[in-house]
Amino acid sequence: MDQRKRKPSFIKKQMDFREPGKTAGKILVAARKVFAENGYNGTHVDEIAAQAGVNKATLYYQIGDKDTLYANVIHQVLGNVAQDIADSVAKADHPEDKLKIYVNCIASAVDENPELPPIMMREMASGGAHLPRVVAEDMASVVTILLGIMEDGIRRGIFVETPPFLIHMMIMGTILFYKKGAPIKEKQLWLPAALKSRDKKLKGDLGDEVGQLVLKAIKK
Amino acid sequence: MDQRKRKPSFIKKQMDFREPGKTAGKILVAARKVFAENGYNGTHVDEIAAQAGVNKATLYYQIGDKDTLYANVIHQVLGNVAQDIADSVAKADHPEDKLKIYVNCIASAVDENPELPPIMMREMASGGAHLPRVVAEDMASVVTILLGIMEDGIRRGIFVETPPFLIHMMIMGTILFYKKGAPIKEKQLWLPAALKSRDKKLKGDLGDEVGQLVLKAIKK
DNA sequence: TAAACAGTTAACCATTTGGTTAAACCTTTT
DNA sequence: AAAAGGTTTAACCAAATGGTTAACTGTTTA
């Protein structure tokens, strides 16, 4: 994102994200993929247009400039996890269960949305440079949920006092790093046999595994 | 990095990294900073040259093209943590101590090297696309150290059996995400007061805190 | 001291890239 | 069916960007 022409990145109009048949939908689907693969700076508007099968001018007509396009993508990818977590967590009572659900929600969001890790990691790497306000708010609301769970757990004497934000970073960091890190590791064919053979695949689900670890870490 | 002109990125010649007075040194210092800030694609060779105070042609004469320059930077930033960890860890006997040292080494490497988190995160986000073989090997050797610690700990009945690679990703993920995430959080002035006030700063050192958490997570 | 060499630079170049324009193409409305 | 409005496109453009060249400066060597 060019530092000079910094404009507030608002969403041009309410778009039909869920209708990939419509032009705008096709563009956003393509954009999400290309942005995830190459990052903001590595992404060329022409490539998005090509992958969406539309003319570049159509893209500009339908959505706007690169910034707006990216804002839409990031909102689409990161924005809608919050509500899901809130709903799922609310269904449980015990802080332990809630925390497990919290972690699992994030893990499955990542599963269903392979574009999430790279986009999120790059967003963090750049200090949240392109984060639209809406998304930042969504993320804050996610951390707030964890805050509630942990406060409850501490009050009930189940958890030790630990900084919630650190725990959130631990959950996110572990899941995202593992998701992207494992394939990189597998790619290194020359890796010492010890590493490859001994480090067996996860038994169960990544969400469960991480949930257990985090729980054990903060339980009294 | 352009997919088409994929050349093996070897280091042109042994350079005086530690002599920032020399031209090559100045260039690498500038490059490290600019690459960390803007990522590979967001970095312009002209800007590096400008920040180094040399002509762009000098940069090409001294080091080579953008790819080579980046390979040098990433090697400089990520490559030399391995030996430090190995040495420090060797000084301890007990697996618990070793693990604490392991985590603390990574944490202080990050402290001393603010460019490490963004570069590493973006590298992971891109699936290790630009990772020179040397660096991949260094990273592998780091994980191997953890593998040793954990196997020892498990054999002695101190640790529960857990995938070492997952734990490594947990350590790295937590530290890097927290390092970059905390400033982003602080930037959001509008954050609900609850979040800002309740989520107090870490009591001690990030390395210690993470070390304790991870240790608790994998201890029997 | 003159030739050889290492290091630096201003100017230049080809290509890429984000973004625009004016005309064409559909639908819908009248 | 013609006017109107929304949608798509080929062609175009200015700026940016990675990389090169040929000349110039200073230092080493013979």
Side-chain angles (χ1 to χ4, degrees):
Chain A
M1 180 133 14
D2 199 304
Q3 307 290 2
R4 281 156 292 177
K5 47 177 175 177
R6 199 28 93 53
K7 284 177 301 180
S9 58
F10 37 69
I11 279 80
K12 197 182 175 191
K13 46 177 170 176
Q14 217 49 34
M15 247 157 304
D16 312 305
F17 293 151
R18 315 284 167 197
E19 302 198 50
K22 302 270 184 259
T23 310
K26 282 195 303 189
I27 294 171
L28 281 165
V29 168
R32 176 165 52 174
K33 193 179 145 206
V34 180
F35 275 128
E37 246 165 49
N38 308 104
Y40 181 87
N41 287 303
T43 293
H44 312 311
V45 181
D46 295 84
E47 197 190 333
I48 295 176
Q51 287 219 20
V54 298
N55 188 281
K56 185 166 53 156
T58 299
L59 186 154
Y60 276 89
Y61 173 79
Q62 289 281 352
I63 295 183
D65 63 10
K66 198 184 175 187
D67 276 23
T68 311
L69 184 50
Y70 184 73
N72 274 287
V73 165
I74 206 172
H75 179 52
Q76 190 190 185
V77 171
L78 300 183
N80 289 326
V81 187
Q83 196 53 50
D84 178 38
I85 298 181
D87 293 345
S88 306
V89 164
K91 284 177 192 150
D93 268 339
H94 197 69
E96 281 195 35
D97 295 331
K98 287 192 176 198
L99 194 126
K100 277 185 194 162
I101 293 173
Y102 183 85
V103 175
N104 266 310
C105 275
I106 293 176
S108 43
V110 165
D111 270 339
E112 290 155 24
N113 221 327
E115 290 96 354
L116 200 151
I119 289 184
M120 177 117 201
M121 281 165 118
R122 276 191 266 246
E123 220 35 62
M124 303 226 32
S126 71
H130 327 294
L131 268 191
R133 167 78 176 250
V134 228
V135 179
E137 275 167 2
D138 275 318
M139 293 175 59
S141 82
V142 172
V143 184
T144 308
I145 296 172
L146 179 63
L147 187 99
I149 299 175
M150 290 186 63
E151 277 188 341
D152 189 29
I154 293 165
R155 204 181 310 114
R156 297 208 218 170
I158 304 169
F159 297 156
V160 266
E161 186 134 11
T162 323
F165 186 71
L166 177 63
I167 299 303
H168 182 69
M169 290 296 105
M170 174 171 258
I171 295 167
M172 297 290 294
T174 308
I175 293 176
L176 298 190
F177 264 58
Y178 187 85
K179 265 283 173 201
K180 287 301 273 187
I184 296 179
K185 194 194 77 183
E186 298 310 322
K187 229 175 50 185
Q188 314 294 336
L189 305 173
W190 48 267
L191 266 189
L195 241 182
K196 284 222 145 182
S197 61
R198 305 279 193 123
D199 189 27
K200 32 243 152 201
K201 287 218 154 64
L202 297 190
K203 300 284 153 55
D205 180 58
L206 176 60
D208 293 335
E209 201 103 8
V210 175
Q212 277 179 299
L213 286 168
V214 173
L215 205 55
K216 235 188 112 192
I218 67 170
K219 257 211 295 196
K220 216 160 210 169
Chain B
M1 184 138 1
D2 201 305
Q3 307 290 4
R4 282 155 289 177
K5 47 178 175 177
R6 192 35 86 55
K7 285 177 298 183
S9 57
F10 37 70
I11 278 82
K12 198 184 177 186
K13 46 177 170 176
Q14 216 50 34
M15 247 157 303
D16 313 306
F17 293 151
R18 316 283 168 198
E19 303 199 48
K22 304 270 184 257
T23 310
K26 282 195 302 185
I27 294 170
L28 281 165
V29 168
R32 177 165 50 173
K33 194 178 144 206
V34 180
F35 275 127
E37 248 166 47
N38 308 106
Y40 181 87
N41 286 304
T43 292
H44 312 312
V45 181
D46 295 86
E47 196 190 334
I48 296 177
Q51 286 219 20
V54 299
N55 189 283
K56 186 168 50 158
T58 299
L59 186 154
Y60 277 90
Y61 173 79
Q62 291 280 355
I63 295 183
D65 62 9
K66 198 183 174 185
D67 276 23
T68 310
L69 184 50
Y70 184 73
N72 274 288
V73 165
I74 206 172
H75 178 53
Q76 190 192 184
V77 171
L78 299 183
N80 289 327
V81 188
Q83 195 54 49
D84 178 39
I85 297 181
D87 293 345
S88 305
V89 164
K91 285 177 192 150
D93 269 337
H94 196 69
E96 281 195 36
D97 295 330
K98 289 193 175 197
L99 194 125
K100 276 185 195 162
I101 293 173
Y102 182 86
V103 175
N104 266 310
C105 276
I106 292 175
S108 43
V110 166
D111 270 338
E112 289 155 22
N113 222 326
E115 289 95 356
L116 200 150
I119 288 183
M120 178 115 199
M121 281 165 118
R122 275 191 268 249
E123 220 35 63
M124 303 226 29
S126 71
H130 327 295
L131 268 190
R133 167 78 176 248
V134 229
V135 179
E137 274 167 2
D138 276 319
M139 291 174 57
S141 83
V142 172
V143 184
T144 308
I145 297 171
L146 179 64
L147 188 98
I149 299 174
M150 289 185 64
E151 278 188 340
D152 188 28
I154 292 166
R155 205 180 309 113
R156 297 207 218 169
I158 305 169
F159 297 156
V160 268
E161 186 135 10
T162 322
F165 186 71
L166 176 63
I167 299 302
H168 181 69
M169 290 295 107
M170 176 172 256
I171 294 166
M172 298 289 294
T174 307
I175 292 176
L176 297 190
F177 264 57
Y178 187 85
K179 264 284 172 200
K180 289 300 276 188
I184 296 179
K185 194 193 79 184
E186 298 309 322
K187 229 175 52 185
Q188 314 295 336
L189 306 174
W190 47 268
L191 267 189
L195 243 181
K196 284 223 143 179
S197 62
R198 305 280 193 119
D199 189 26
K200 33 242 152 201
K201 286 216 157 62
L202 297 190
K203 298 284 153 55
D205 181 58
L206 177 61
D208 294 335
E209 201 103 6
V210 175
Q212 279 180 295
L213 285 169
V214 173
L215 204 55
K216 238 189 109 193
I218 67 170
K219 257 209 298 195
K220 215 160 208 166

